Amino acid sequence: MNVFAGVGGGAAGKEAGTVGGGALLELTPHKLALCHLVQVFAPPPQAGVSAPALPFPFESVAHHNRLGLFLFALTRSCEDFREPPLEELLRQLKAVDALVNGWLCEQLTSTLSALTSPDDLFNFFDKLRGVLSAPEGANVEDEFLDPNSQLGVFLRCCILSFNTMTFEGVCHLLANLVEYCNSADTSYDLAEDEDFNSEMEMSNFMDTNMHVRDGVFDKYNQGYAPRSHMVDSSSSLVHAPASLHDFEEANMFKADDNLGPTCLRSRWQLEAYLNQQADILEKDPSSVPLNSFNATMSQLQKLAPELHRVQFLQYLNALTHDDYVAALDNLHRYFDYSAGMQGLFSRTASPFQDIIVGKYESALLCLGNLHCYFGHPKKALEAFTEAVRVSQMNNDDSCLAYILGAISNLLSKIGMSSTVGTIGSPYSLGNNIGLGTPLSIQQQLLVLLKRSLKRADTLKLTSLLSFDHLSLAKFVLKHVQRPLVSFGPNASTKLRTCPADVCKNLRLSSRVLTDFGTDGLSASNDNGSFSTSWLRNLSAASNSWCSSSKKSGKLLTNDFDNFHFHAQPSPIPASVLQLAGSAYLLRATAWEHYGSAPMVRMNSLVYATCFADAASSSELSLAYVKLIQHLATFKGYSAAFSALKLAEEKFPLSANSHIQLLKMQLLHERALHRGHLKVAQQICDEFAVLSSSVSGVDIELKTEARLRHARTLLAAKQFSQAANVANSLFSTCYKYNMQVENASVLLLLAEIQKNSDNAVLGLPYALASQSFCKSFNLDLLEASATLTLTELWLALGSTHAKRALSLVCQSLPMILGHGGLELRARAHIVLAKCYLSDPKFSVSEDPSAVLDPLNQAAEDLEVLEYHEMAAEAYYLKAMVYNNLGKLDEREEAAASFKEHTLALENPYNEEDSLAC
């Protein structure tokens, strides 16, 4: 199925459409030529005349079969993105026509030349019908061509397409037929070889900027597309009135109508300008207005019609503004108008092969990325599947490697519960590797990642290799690696993730910096941006007194200039720096899973400091989010909201989803701690609105929204409703194989049972959560599950106090070393309760064993404004001071207990919880 309708349809495709839908086959002059050859191969039987053993002019069965195989191959490839011209078809036909002195070629050209009117076309297809059906009075045995064969189905589709064409479509087909026949006569009148070579040497630029916002996969496309040969290079200079070393958009096309353009702009400089606009769209899309940017690009396109990348920039602009219709239209326009140029991933140096290979599969790859971005997983998979088929048919290994990476990126980001036919039969991975049963989504993802990694390594695609290592690290981080065949005596029993493999893949992905320049990456990025920046800095150096004022209001290509004054920018492309920086960002995420807060902070700081100039606004904001979350966990909400205000100034909420989600998370946590449940429920509703309604899309956001809803119900003492939401969430996570999230859901179910005084029912959930945490090396979450397990044992009676004390002592090193304020305070309270529940423990003999952790817990909880847990800490302190006979300290602790209890039971000024 052609999922990229409109790429090569043209006017003929529009005219050939029917009222109910498009025809099965678009009728072209090349297909008319094939229909004539099929008619020669299988002439229609005549009534009353027995069919000859061999039709004229074939001399032998082998000769006849040779033409049949030739037609079979041509009809199988009739849906190719580019059809061969008549000259190429005649050249191929000469191998079959040599035995009959060129009779087939002469008959083909004469027949096509005779089709000059709609009546001629009607008579032509009327004769074709006789090939498929016998005339009246003839025997059924006289039929020569089976209507259900490959050639028969092809003829039937062509006849059907002609029958559904309008009169305008028929006339357009005739016009194309005249051009098709004339091309054979003038094909040898092209430019001489030396003229062609000089044209090819006119320019070598990147064909397109493949960046798509929000995703690690789109980074390896940008900056690594091979150099495209500008065939239409007659206008190497374009009139554009702008200053020599500046690309201000306001002055880019300003011209006096009477005097004309004020200067000439080279193609090199225009390419650099387009690259800079692409960088702005990536780094700060909110600063680019949709309509004014499109107006500027339209004006540039009028000045330089051959710059097809203008349409790709309009596609990126529509993408960043979430305009699906405009993005799809501009993407179609880009690949329509740039058809015939080199593909995005073809690495061959042959100019003839570049025209044939690479364009259609690149278009399908971009279409799949578009659907993936807008949350259309099924359409994205259809486009990727078609791209795989076309790449395999054209032997385009480079593009195939990128497509496999795109599919793996889709499967990792989009939740899918079906385990059969994900990639689409007959291209199912389960059939390709020879297993009897279909693979699960996770197994398919692992197979795709390893295939893409192997192809990228073989083809020396360093950027894709780095991306695949990042994707493999993400997979290993969240999935237990099971063997594809998990039975028999040699089956592996290892059911744990491997942090060493994560670190290994992250280290290998960072080699994109060390490998830069070894495989032509630096040459492929040579598109004018670096030289233009070099000239601009050189000009600024000669005017140092005004250089600071010039740079202050512009987006620099590289922040290296900020630190080294007039030094030249780094020659490493931004896309290479993005891939290297993504490794640090993923390291922070990995340590976040493993529970090491200092390592999360360190890697986030490295990314925000060293890769801020090359990072997209989405990824840079993600680093800021991790740093602000660290502040909220260890310093409290006041410090976190102060940092959040600075982040909002740098990343507006309307243009950055990460900052918006962080603000809602902090507001919800603070509302729960303060006891403002109405505000917390309102924020939960806003979480649910942010996620897409499409099944499997935004699955992580949907999971977080439901998890927070269950926690809100738990804080409101609605235990049955909270348990129902948590159970439903567990089923969803199990359905989509989100095992890491299942550990948190199981821990929440244990908390619900503990607070509803069902300690016995809570033990299995806590143990299951602890088991999940061990399998996925979630050390900090495992320590939290151990605390919940300790509280459940304490709820069963004082006889379990020693067991509870042993459990809490096991988790204390991890909690005190890496836990935040809330987890540390909770651990201190549980430790004090273990001592107080032990009948053999005497408070009077060792009061510091209880008071020290309680004082520390109360101090931390005051910073968090966690009223419920603070009230519990002060209550325990009052009880201890009462046993010690310290009445003043007891009254002070009791007063604090009363204050927090009243604040929890009678919340006031709940609207303050919505303010930062």
Side-chain angles (χ1 to χ4, degrees):
M1 181 181 67
N2 188 354
V3 296
F4 203 75
V7 173
K14 296 177 183 178
E15 300 298 336
T18 62
V19 179
L24 293 177
L25 195 68
E26 180 188 349
L27 203 55
T28 61
H30 175 69
K31 294 183 177 64
L32 293 180
L34 294 185
C35 290
H36 168 74
L37 292 177
V38 172
Q39 188 177 14
V40 173
F41 173 78
Q46 300 179 3
V49 179
S50 60
L54 283 174
F56 180 85
F58 301 100
E59 298 179 350
S60 63
V61 176
H63 186 202
H64 184 257
N65 290 341
R66 186 181 302 177
L67 178 63
L69 293 176
F70 175 69
L71 292 175
F72 183 82
L74 289 177
T75 54
R76 286 292 300 270
S77 60
C78 64
E79 285 289 1
D80 280 2
F81 183 59
R82 177 185 175 274
E83 292 181 339
L86 179 58
E87 179 63 25
E88 183 177 343
L89 178 61
L90 293 176
R91 187 182 301 113
Q92 296 173 353
L93 189 60
K94 285 181 180 179
V96 183
D97 202 18
L99 298 178
V100 290
N101 299 322
W103 185 88
L104 292 177
C105 293
E106 293 178 2
Q107 188 71 11
L108 174 62
T109 53
S110 61
T111 301
L112 294 180
S113 301
L115 300 176
T116 58
S117 67
D119 291 338
D120 295 335
L121 281 177
F122 179 81
N123 295 332
F124 176 81
F125 281 98
D126 187 54
K127 292 180 180 178
L128 286 180
R129 294 186 183 93
V131 177
L132 300 173
S133 60
E136 295 182 1
N139 298 324
V140 179
E141 291 77 5
D142 293 336
E143 295 183 8
F144 198 86
L145 187 64
D146 184 6
N148 295 323
S149 64
Q150 173 70 27
L151 300 181
V153 171
F154 173 76
L155 285 185
R156 289 162 58 192
C157 290
C158 291
I159 294 172
L160 176 61
S161 179
F162 178 78
N163 291 339
T164 56
M165 290 180 71
T166 62
F167 180 79
E168 291 81 0
V170 173
C171 294
H172 192 85
L173 178 60
L174 287 172
N176 289 339
L177 182 60
V178 173
E179 183 179 359
Y180 180 74
C181 295
N182 292 337
S183 64
D185 298 330
T186 61
S187 60
Y188 294 102
D189 298 332
L190 298 177
E192 298 294 332
D193 291 341
E194 56 271 13
D195 297 333
F196 179 78
N197 292 333
S198 63
E199 231 179 29
M200 297 304 296
E201 293 171 357
M202 180 65 71
S203 82
N204 257 334
F205 295 114
M206 290 170 54
D207 185 43
T208 185
N209 188 330
M210 289 288 297
H211 173 73
V212 177
R213 186 189 66 168
D214 200 21
V216 174
F217 164 74
D218 305 312
K219 294 188 295 295
Y220 67 75
N221 281 339
Q222 181 185 2
Y224 292 101
R227 297 167 291 177
S228 61
H229 304 282
M230 297 297 182
V231 178
D232 185 11
S233 58
S234 58
S235 57
S236 60
L237 294 177
V238 179
H239 293 277
S243 60
L244 181 60
H245 302 296
D246 198 2
F247 283 105
E248 290 190 33
E249 188 171 328
N251 299 324
M252 181 65 189
F253 307 107
K254 191 180 296 181
D256 192 336
D257 295 335
N258 297 326
L259 300 177
T262 60
C263 71
L264 294 176
R265 303 294 276 164
S266 68
R267 181 191 296 274
W268 187 272
Q269 292 171 321
L270 289 179
E271 286 285 340
Y273 171 75
L274 295 179
N275 291 333
Q276 289 179 348
Q277 296 305 306
D279 290 339
I280 294 175
L281 284 173
E282 177 186 7
K283 294 181 179 180
D284 191 13
S286 61
S287 65
V288 182
L290 177 63
N291 296 328
S292 62
F293 182 85
N294 287 338
T296 303
M297 291 296 105
S298 299
Q299 191 173 3
L300 176 59
Q301 192 172 10
K302 292 179 181 178
L303 295 171
E306 72 278 3
L307 289 180
H308 306 296
R309 294 185 61 193
V310 170
Q311 292 154 347
F312 197 84
L313 279 179
Q314 290 178 314
Y315 154 70
L316 291 179
N317 188 35
L319 199 70
T320 55
H321 289 84
D322 297 329
D323 191 341
Y324 172 75
V325 177
L328 186 63
D329 180 65
N330 284 297
L331 184 64
H332 283 173
R333 288 176 180 270
Y334 169 73
F335 282 102
D336 282 343
Y337 294 148
S338 63
M341 296 169 61
Q342 185 179 0
L344 299 180
F345 308 105
S346 178
R347 299 172 68 90
T348 177
S350 171
F352 303 103
Q353 189 174 355
D354 289 344
I355 297 176
I356 301 175
V357 178
K359 204 63 187 179
Y360 186 38
E361 50 264 42
S362 302
L364 290 169
L365 176 59
C366 291
L367 179 65
N369 286 329
L370 171 69
H371 287 306
C372 182
Y373 176 82
F374 283 103
H376 308 151
K378 292 184 179 179
K379 292 183 178 180
L381 276 179
E382 288 178 356
F384 288 146
T385 303
E386 180 73 6
V388 169
R389 185 188 67 82
V390 177
S391 298
Q392 290 176 338
M393 182 176 62
N394 293 333
N395 295 323
D396 194 348
D397 293 332
S398 300
C399 187
L400 182 60
Y402 280 94
I403 295 170
L404 292 177
I407 295 176
S408 63
N409 181 65
L410 173 66
L411 294 181
S412 63
K413 294 174 66 174
I414 305 297
M416 294 182 180
S417 60
S418 175
T419 59
V420 180
T422 303
I423 308 302
S425 181
Y427 306 103
S428 175
L429 294 174
N431 297 333
N432 288 341
I433 64 176
L435 296 180
T437 57
L439 299 177
S440 66
I441 299 299
Q442 285 69 34
Q443 289 172 324
Q444 291 187 27
L445 176 57
L446 181 59
V447 172
L448 283 172
L449 282 174
K450 291 185 176 181
R451 285 184 181 179
S452 180
L453 187 68
K454 183 178 179 181
R455 286 180 176 270
D457 190 20
T458 304
L459 299 171
K460 304 302 180 183
L461 302 174
T462 306
S463 56
L464 180 58
L465 189 64
S466 175
F467 167 77
D468 286 337
H469 279 301
L470 288 175
S471 301
L472 196 57
K474 290 167 60 177
F475 181 88
V476 176
L477 181 65
K478 287 192 172 185
H479 296 88
V480 173
Q481 294 191 36
R482 302 172 183 267
L484 295 180
V485 182
S486 55
F487 57 86
N490 296 325
S492 175
T493 58
K494 179 183 177 181
L495 296 177
R496 292 175 68 96
T497 59
C498 187
D501 289 346
V502 176
C503 296
K504 175 184 176 183
N505 282 286
L506 290 175
R507 185 175 66 255
L508 291 175
S509 67
S510 300
R511 292 180 58 184
V512 67
L513 280 177
T514 59
D515 294 343
F516 171 72
T518 60
D519 63 342
L521 291 182
S522 56
S524 66
N525 190 66
D526 192 10
N527 47 32
S529 297
F530 177 72
S531 296
T532 304
S533 178
W534 193 91
L535 289 174
R536 185 174 62 248
N537 287 347
L538 187 63
S539 176
S542 62
N543 300 281
S544 58
W545 60 272
C546 63
S547 60
S548 59
S549 61
K550 286 184 178 180
K551 289 186 178 182
S552 59
K554 298 177 184 178
L555 181 64
L556 296 177
T557 305
N558 197 305
D559 286 347
F560 187 77
D561 297 327
N562 292 332
F563 301 99
H564 295 273
F565 303 101
H566 304 304
Q568 301 310 319
S570 171
I572 301 178
S575 50
V576 176
L577 293 175
Q578 284 178 357
L579 284 170
S582 297
Y584 286 94
L585 201 57
L586 188 54
R587 279 191 184 96
T589 303
W591 286 116
E592 194 174 9
H593 275 77
Y594 297 145
S596 179
M599 296 299 294
V600 174
R601 180 173 178 268
M602 184 191 72
N603 284 281
S604 300
L605 282 174
V606 168
Y607 183 85
T609 304
C610 300
F611 299 95
D613 54 329
S616 64
S617 59
S618 176
E619 291 195 339
L620 186 58
S621 65
L622 185 58
Y624 277 70
V625 164
K626 293 184 182 298
L627 292 173
I628 295 174
Q629 286 176 338
H630 185 273
L631 284 177
T633 304
F634 290 90
K635 300 296 182 181
Y637 296 111
S638 58
F641 280 113
S642 298
L644 181 62
K645 289 182 179 179
L646 298 177
E648 288 178 353
E649 295 176 0
K650 187 176 182 64
F651 309 101
L653 288 179
S654 59
N656 199 288
S657 58
H658 294 307
I659 301 296
Q660 183 180 7
L661 287 176
L662 173 65
K663 184 177 181 180
M664 295 174 61
Q665 290 169 354
L666 295 179
L667 290 175
H668 183 261
E669 294 290 342
R670 188 174 67 176
L672 285 182
H673 288 168
R674 289 180 174 179
H676 298 168
L677 301 183
K678 292 183 180 179
V679 175
Q681 185 58 46
Q682 178 182 346
I683 297 174
C684 286
D685 296 338
E686 293 179 4
F687 263 104
V689 171
L690 288 178
S691 59
S692 172
S693 59
V694 180
S695 177
V697 179
D698 294 336
I699 189 65
E700 293 183 355
L701 183 58
K702 293 176 183 177
T703 301
E704 183 178 1
R706 294 170 66 183
L707 189 63
R708 291 185 178 276
H709 179 51
R711 289 181 56 197
T712 305
L713 293 174
L714 174 61
K717 310 298 182 184
Q718 299 179 12
F719 302 119
S720 60
Q721 297 182 23
N724 292 334
V725 173
N727 283 318
S728 174
L729 180 57
F730 179 82
S731 300
T732 302
C733 292
Y734 181 81
K735 176 182 179 182
Y736 291 104
N737 200 26
M738 303 170 64
Q739 304 300 342
V740 175
E741 289 76 7
N742 266 340
S744 300
V745 177
L746 288 170
L747 185 58
L748 176 62
L749 285 169
E751 292 283 347
I752 294 173
Q753 298 299 334
K754 181 194 72 175
N755 292 340
S756 60
D757 297 328
N758 292 322
V760 176
L761 296 179
L763 284 174
Y765 293 117
L767 291 172
S769 177
Q770 197 176 45
S771 177
F772 270 99
C773 293
K774 289 181 180 179
S775 297
F776 293 94
N777 296 284
L778 308 175
D779 296 339
L780 193 60
L781 189 60
E782 181 185 356
S784 180
T786 303
L787 282 184
T788 302
L789 189 62
T790 302
E791 292 176 310
L792 291 171
W793 282 117
L794 288 177
L796 293 177
S798 59
T799 56
H800 302 282
K802 288 186 178 180
R803 177 182 295 176
L805 182 61
S806 175
L807 289 173
V808 74
C809 288
Q810 292 176 10
S811 61
L812 274 179
M814 184 66 192
I815 293 175
L816 298 180
H818 300 276
L821 294 176
E822 180 182 351
L823 190 57
R824 291 204 303 257
R826 183 183 166 200
H828 284 135
I829 292 176
V830 173
L831 179 62
K833 290 167 69 174
C834 288
Y835 283 119
L836 294 176
S837 300
D838 190 357
K840 298 180 179 180
F841 178 77
S842 175
V843 176
S844 58
E845 293 180 0
D846 191 7
S848 61
V850 178
L851 288 176
D852 288 347
L854 288 177
N855 288 328
Q856 186 62 46
E859 181 181 345
D860 293 341
L861 294 171
E862 288 287 351
V863 176
L864 284 177
E865 302 179 64
Y866 197 166
H867 296 312
E868 183 178 7
M869 195 176 291
E872 184 180 7
Y874 283 115
Y875 174 79
L876 293 176
K877 283 180 63 177
M879 294 293 295
V880 171
Y881 283 127
N882 182 65
N883 291 335
L884 294 175
K886 297 181 178 182
L887 301 182
D888 293 339
E889 289 83 352
R890 182 196 67 181
E891 294 301 323
E892 182 181 355
S896 298
F897 165 75
K898 181 179 180 181
E899 178 184 353
H900 286 284
T901 303
L902 291 177
L904 188 64
E905 294 178 351
N906 302 308
Y908 60 92
N909 296 332
E910 293 193 26
E911 293 77 9
D912 294 343
S913 294
L914 291 175
C916 297

